[in-house]
Amino acid sequence: MSDRLDPPKNYSNQSRGRNERANESTIIKKNKPLSFLKSDIFTLGGMDIPFFALTMALLTIGLVMLFSASYPYALQNQGDSYYFFKRQLLFAVVGVVAMLIASKLNYKLLKLIVKPLLAVTLILLVVVLFYHTNLGSFKRWIPIGSFTLQPSDIAKFTVILTMAAYCSKYYDKMKRPLHGIVYPLIIIAVFCGLIFLEHHLSCTILVFLIGASIMFCAGTNDKLFLVGVGIVAAVIALVILKPEVLMNYAGERVEAWLKKDFDPMGARWQTNNSLYAIGSGGLFGVGLGNSKQKFLYVSEPQNDFIFSIVCEELGFIGAALIIILFALLFFRGIQIAIKCKDRFASFIVIGIVAQVAIQTILNIMVVTDTIPNTGIALPFFSYGGTAIMMLLFEMGVVLSISRKSNQKKV
């Protein structure tokens, strides 16, 4: 009886061998390069289609409006009506490719590049102070052959990534003054200080607001945060009352905003003609391509004041629809952030959509003379190679995170 119950030795050895081979096979399978690439580098699953569609819609409309707004200025100054459009189209194509690649990469890889990217960005922000294009007192662009690199555009993403990494790591300590206020403000102040030295006040304000948005969403103590808001409001009031405390060009712009008859052929020229363009657009606009103010009245209409040409050609209805597209992009991004279970990823999305929203709001406020002319670009519309490529890459990061969030497939 005992002989029948005990398995033969050769059967036991065969079974043990099969189990060992199965375990070995499993281990080998897990360590295969292809399996590693799929699980650790590339992200599987469907990306958020509405967010992608909104991005491509804004990019397409932006390219059309860039050409319409820029061709007179391009012909006058570059001898080629397509100068700005061709370059922006090239940057946009590169950006879309970067967006699609980023959308497939595992966003967790960004944790590995936080410190290296921070170091490179800070180096570029220092280099541009000493090696830059000659454009008045502005020190914003590093010349690289026939192109230029704007480190402040890279700094926007770097501050988002750095703040997201910090706030996710110290999330449980964000209510404390040291971890919730002092350390994050030091990080933001380093970026803002270097960018301010470039004579780039608008980007300084933008980077500060992006960092503050992530701090607020990460749970910074409400009372301390309100104290900080009060201090900022006091600084703004001081600047309005005494514009001379700012550097010359910024103080002059504040003064020009306060006094509507200030230097109409100089500091008020661009703003006044922006208002003329918006007013002449009416409800339905004068038609695509039919703007009059873009014929060298609104200076450099392909950049900060492109929205005034949008208003003139597409009217209130067209401008409102574009604003709605921006709003939908923002709210869709917030949905992705809320439904994402990873705090690091959530803070990244919040930072990116906050950047787009804040930049859009500030740009529209500038062209409508609601705030002083700060020289801030309109996302997806304004000309700028580094800006459009970085922006589209950031959209790709959001799409990558959307693959991991529990979004309902559309």
Side-chain angles (χ1 to χ4, degrees), residues 34-307:
L34 184 58
S35 176
F36 169 75
L37 288 174
K38 285 183 177 179
S39 61
D40 294 332
I41 295 182
F42 294 108
T43 302
L44 304 178
M47 65 182 176
D48 192 76
I49 300 301
F51 190 88
F52 174 75
L54 288 166
T55 299
M56 295 306 297
L58 284 168
L59 177 64
T60 303
I61 297 170
L63 286 171
V64 172
M65 290 310 307
L66 175 71
F67 172 66
S68 179
S70 69
Y71 71 81
Y73 185 84
L75 181 63
Q76 175 70 20
N77 293 276
Q78 305 294 336
D80 180 6
S81 299
Y82 297 90
Y83 177 81
F84 295 111
F85 175 73
K86 288 188 296 186
R87 292 167 70 91
Q88 187 79 343
L89 182 62
L90 173 62
F91 294 135
V93 169
V94 174
V96 169
V97 172
M99 176 179 68
L100 295 176
I101 293 174
S103 73
K104 286 296 294 180
L105 294 177
N106 190 336
Y107 70 86
K108 293 182 180 180
L109 293 173
L110 293 173
K111 288 184 177 180
L112 303 177
I113 67 168
V114 173
K115 291 182 179 178
L117 181 62
L118 176 61
V120 170
T121 303
L122 292 178
I123 290 171
L124 290 174
L125 289 174
V126 172
V127 169
V128 76
L129 298 177
F130 303 96
Y131 177 65
H132 49 81
T133 55
N134 296 318
L135 184 60
S137 61
F138 301 107
K139 306 171 184 179
R140 303 180 185 178
W141 300 274
I142 298 176
I144 304 175
S146 58
F147 298 95
T148 57
L149 174 69
Q150 189 166 3
S152 57
D153 285 324
I154 301 173
K156 296 173 193 174
F157 180 66
T158 304
V159 77
I160 291 171
L161 207 58
T162 305
M163 289 297 295
Y166 175 86
C167 291
S168 60
K169 182 177 181 180
Y170 296 103
Y171 181 78
D172 296 330
K173 299 180 180 180
M174 289 299 290
K175 294 292 183 184
R176 302 177 185 178
L178 197 61
H179 290 86
I181 296 290
V182 177
Y183 291 154
L185 285 181
I186 290 174
I187 295 172
I188 297 170
V190 170
F191 284 96
C192 289
L194 289 172
I195 295 172
F196 184 76
L197 292 175
E198 298 178 8
H199 291 189
H200 200 350
L201 181 60
S202 59
C203 190
T204 304
I205 296 170
L206 178 61
V207 167
F208 175 80
L209 292 176
I210 291 170
S213 300
I214 298 175
M215 285 174 59
F216 179 77
C217 293
T220 294
N221 186 284
D222 294 342
K223 293 181 180 178
L224 294 175
F225 192 83
L226 288 175
V227 171
V229 171
I231 294 173
V232 172
V235 171
I236 293 173
L238 175 64
V239 168
I240 292 175
L241 294 173
K242 292 185 176 294
E244 62 271 14
V245 300
L246 292 174
M247 58 185 69
N248 292 335
Y249 85 96
E252 184 182 61
R253 289 181 177 183
V254 173
E255 193 172 356
W257 172 66
L258 293 171
K259 302 175 183 177
K260 305 307 179 185
D261 58 347
F262 180 90
D263 194 11
M265 299 300 290
R268 285 287 307 181
W269 172 264
Q270 193 173 30
T271 302
N272 286 343
N273 281 282
S274 171
L275 295 175
Y276 298 152
I278 294 170
S280 64
L283 187 61
F284 298 104
V286 297
L288 183 63
N290 294 329
S291 164
K292 294 181 176 63
Q293 296 302 121
K294 68 186 177 185
F295 286 92
L296 309 183
Y297 291 101
V298 175
S299 55
E300 297 195 33
Q302 77 281 1
N303 282 331
D304 309 333
F305 279 75
I306 190 173
F307 192 72

